[in-house]
């Protein structure tokens, strides 16, 4: 009993102490490392620095970033989230070319980088970012012109990148992973949220990214329908042009009422080869539904945060017979009161498909909390092979 009463944290194994420290934030970890030498050594364990989120830490300057990089960040870092000084009264430089170069050498396993309110106009190209990145998220950032343009690297830089990647190649081959490319940008997922300086020129320059397969555009007001048309993957005499490797595209506009709307999703009307999944949100849902019929490879469609009429959905889905999944998330359905004329029109939307497939029993197994039972029955008849998902949807009865 005496030993039990006098026991302290020094009796705990280091693995348990590291698990306890993993619940602390960056600030708390740094303060904990000042207790004693043992705790300072535990705090520097790379298992505690796999995911570093500094977005809640306001006023992080370049000096603080250098201290973190030199003393704590290392080979264990996988995901890094930073908050810039764009909205701060302090201002000043945030990310520098020298710091990004040091980040690439000290953190060779970094896969995801998220920047919030960062001023990137001091960086002339995104090629300064670590070459191991697979996910890049920009939220509320400012970009320079030509930031995403990929230029051929000099032989010296290619040799340096190759030597950095050579230290990881053997381990990746043993685990069955493909080594990252050292000749270009290896980013596979790009998220742009409320980036006012992102234009059609930036969008078209993404066509040189050979691995980009997922692109999310939210509240990107300067992207127009014409820019989307020019970036779409099209078959030409010289082969595929545009974003030919893109599989997932999200377009959303959730701005304030009265804000300028470009209706960029109308650019999908030219078609997009290879695009399998489309997500439309806010004010882009209506224009996007008009153009979705031209996407012949589309398999999954997601609509969220919008107002839709029942007949609008049915008329748009008549040409999407190859859909395999249709999702409605936080959609306000405007439904007219049932009348004999309306019931006959709804039935005619799916009578051809229902007669050919012999009908479907999904309408007989409706959930009690199904927001639009008639819409589900009609969609099941139009798209018999499509899975329907309703999440947090509401219904409003209108007189029109």
């Amino acid at each position: 009993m005496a030993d039990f009463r006098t026991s302290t944290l020094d009796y705990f194994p280091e693995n348990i102490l590291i698990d306890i420290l993993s619940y602390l934030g960056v600030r708390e970890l740094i303060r904990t490392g000042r207790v004693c030498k043992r705790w300072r050594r535990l705090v520097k364990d790379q298992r505690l620095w796999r995911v570093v989120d500094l977005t809640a830490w306001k006023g992080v300057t370049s000096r603080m970033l250098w201290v973190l990089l030199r003393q704590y960040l290392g080979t264990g870092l996988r995901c890094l989230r930073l908050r810039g000084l764009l909205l701060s009264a302090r201002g000043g430089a945030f990310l520098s070319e020298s710091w990004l170069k040091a980040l690439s050498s000290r953190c060779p396993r970094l896969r995801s980088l998220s920047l919030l309110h960062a001023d990137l106009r001091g960086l002339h190209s995104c090629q300064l970012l670590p070459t191991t990145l697979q996910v890049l998220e920009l939220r509320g950032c400012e970009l320079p012109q030509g930031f995403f343009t990929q230029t051929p690297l000099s032989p010296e830089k290619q040799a340096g990148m190759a030597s950095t990647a050579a230290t990881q190649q053997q381990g990746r081959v043993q685990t069955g992973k493909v080594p990252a490319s050292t000749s270009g940008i290896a980013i596979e997922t790009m998220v742009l949220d409320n980036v006012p300086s992102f234009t059609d020129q930036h969008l078209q320059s993404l066509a040189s990214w050979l691995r980009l397969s997922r692109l999310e555009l939210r509240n990107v007001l300067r992207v127009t329908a014409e820019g989307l048309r020019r970036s779409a993957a099209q078959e030409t005499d010289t082969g595929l042009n545009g974003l030919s490797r893109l599989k997932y595209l999200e377009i959303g506009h959730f701005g304030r009422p009265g804000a300028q709307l470009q209706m960029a999703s109308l650019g999908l009307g030219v078609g997009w080869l290879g695009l399998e999944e489309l997500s439309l949100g806010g004010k882009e849902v209506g224009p996007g539904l008009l153009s979705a019929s031209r996407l012949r490879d589309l398999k999954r469609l997601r609509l969220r945060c919008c107002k839709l009429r029942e007949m609008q959905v049915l008329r748009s889905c008549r040409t999407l017979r190859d859909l395999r999944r249709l999702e409605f998330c936080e959609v306000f359905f405007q439904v007219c009161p049932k009348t004999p004329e309306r019931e006959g029109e709804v039935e005619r939307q799916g009578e051809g498909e229902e007669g050919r497939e012999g009908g479907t029993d999904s309408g007989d197994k409706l959930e009690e909390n199904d927001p639009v039972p008639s819409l589900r029955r009609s969609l099941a008849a139009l798209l018999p092979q499509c899975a329907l998902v309703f999440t947090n949807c509401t219904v409003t009865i209108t007189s029109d």
Side-chain angles (χ1 to χ4, degrees):
M1 290 297 294
D3 294 340
F4 178 77
R5 291 175 182 175
T6 59
S7 63
T8 62
L9 289 177
D10 295 334
Y11 288 86
F12 284 85
E14 292 189 354
N15 290 335
I16 296 180
L17 290 177
I18 290 176
D19 290 340
I20 296 175
L21 293 175
S22 64
Y23 290 93
L24 301 180
V26 176
R27 277 187 173 182
E28 289 76 13
L29 277 177
I30 296 176
R31 292 172 181 173
T32 303
R34 300 170 183 169
V35 174
C36 61
K37 293 183 178 180
R38 187 193 183 200
W39 283 33
R40 181 178 180 84
R41 178 172 53 83
L42 290 177
V43 164
K44 290 187 176 183
D45 192 288
Q46 287 302 302
R47 286 174 288 181
L48 298 174
W49 300 94
R50 291 178 179 175
V51 178
V52 177
D53 189 354
L54 298 176
T55 54
W57 193 349
K58 297 182 180 179
V60 177
T61 61
S62 58
R63 179 178 177 274
M64 298 179 183
L65 292 180
W66 275 111
V67 172
L68 286 173
L69 183 59
R70 289 169 177 169
Q71 297 186 13
Y72 301 100
L73 303 184
T75 57
L77 185 63
R78 301 293 193 277
C79 177
L80 178 61
R81 303 185 183 97
L82 300 176
R83 182 190 186 102
L85 303 174
L86 191 60
L87 302 182
S88 175
R90 182 179 304 179
F94 178 62
L95 295 180
S96 61
E97 182 175 351
S98 58
W99 188 85
L100 291 174
K101 184 177 180 180
L103 179 67
S104 302
S105 60
R106 290 185 59 88
C107 307
R109 298 179 181 177
L110 181 61
R111 297 291 179 267
S112 176
L113 177 63
S114 177
L115 301 178
L116 173 65
H117 299 158
D119 190 353
L120 304 179
R121 289 173 291 189
L123 305 177
H124 64 274
S125 173
C126 64
Q127 290 181 287
L128 298 174
L129 300 175
T131 57
T132 57
L133 283 183
Q134 297 178 356
V135 179
L136 178 61
E137 300 181 6
L138 303 177
R139 306 179 189 275
C141 300
E142 286 291 341
L143 304 175
Q145 189 176 6
F147 181 71
F148 298 110
T149 303
Q150 185 174 192
T151 56
L153 298 177
S154 61
E156 293 79 6
K157 290 187 177 181
Q158 288 187 7
M161 293 166 56
S163 61
T164 303
T167 58
Q168 312 168 42
Q169 184 173 0
Q170 183 177 0
R172 290 179 180 176
V173 171
Q174 292 177 356
T175 56
K177 296 182 179 180
V178 180
S181 175
T182 59
S183 60
I185 300 175
I187 294 177
E188 301 175 359
T189 300
M190 166 74 75
V191 179
L192 294 158
D193 189 355
N194 192 22
V195 181
S197 56
F198 187 83
T199 62
D200 292 340
Q201 181 181 0
H202 292 102
L203 181 61
Q204 296 173 28
S205 62
L206 295 178
S208 61
W209 293 23
L210 300 180
R211 296 195 177 188
L212 186 63
S213 60
R214 184 183 181 96
L215 179 61
E216 302 179 14
L217 304 176
R218 305 170 192 153
N219 295 322
V220 184
L221 303 180
R222 298 182 65 183
V223 173
T224 64
E226 182 62 26
L228 210 61
R229 292 189 190 100
R230 295 182 179 180
S231 303
Q234 298 291 325
E235 185 73 35
T236 61
D237 297 337
T238 58
L240 279 177
N241 289 337
L243 297 171
S244 57
R245 289 174 174 80
L246 202 66
K247 301 297 180 183
Y248 176 93
L249 176 63
E250 178 179 346
I251 306 176
H253 186 282
F254 310 97
R256 296 174 298 177
Q260 183 181 4
L261 178 62
Q262 296 287 357
M263 292 191 294
S265 54
L266 287 176
L268 299 174
V270 298
W272 199 306
L273 296 178
L275 189 62
E276 299 178 356
E277 188 169 356
L278 176 65
S279 178
L280 301 172
K283 299 179 182 179
E284 293 288 353
V285 173
L289 283 177
L290 297 176
S291 308
S293 59
R294 303 296 302 273
L295 305 176
R296 63 186 186 185
D297 298 325
L298 189 64
K299 302 299 180 183
R300 294 175 292 276
L301 177 62
R302 185 169 183 254
L303 310 175
R304 65 188 189 97
C305 302
C306 61
K307 294 182 180 180
L308 290 175
R309 293 182 178 272
E310 185 177 359
M311 296 307 304
Q312 178 185 4
V313 176
L314 295 177
R315 289 168 182 169
S316 302
C317 292
R318 280 187 298 179
T319 56
L320 301 176
R321 299 302 177 91
D322 295 332
L323 273 184
R324 293 297 178 265
R325 186 178 180 86
L326 178 59
E327 298 184 26
F328 299 92
C329 181
E330 299 182 11
V331 176
F332 295 87
F333 289 102
Q334 298 177 348
V335 181
C336 300
K338 289 186 177 181
T339 60
E341 293 80 4
R342 178 177 170 274
E343 290 181 355
E345 185 177 359
V346 173
E347 291 177 357
R348 286 193 296 271
Q349 294 289 338
E351 62 182 358
E353 186 71 27
E354 187 175 359
R356 182 167 65 252
E357 297 291 340
T360 176
D361 57 353
S362 61
D364 301 333
K365 300 179 180 180
L366 297 176
E367 300 178 359
E368 295 181 358
N369 58 350
D370 195 342
V372 189
S374 60
L375 176 62
R376 183 183 286 270
R377 283 194 295 266
S378 302
L379 287 176
L382 283 172
L383 309 171
Q385 299 179 351
C386 180
L388 304 176
V389 180
F390 293 83
T391 305
N392 297 332
C393 298
T394 57
V395 177
T396 303
I397 305 298
T398 61
S399 58
D400 297 336

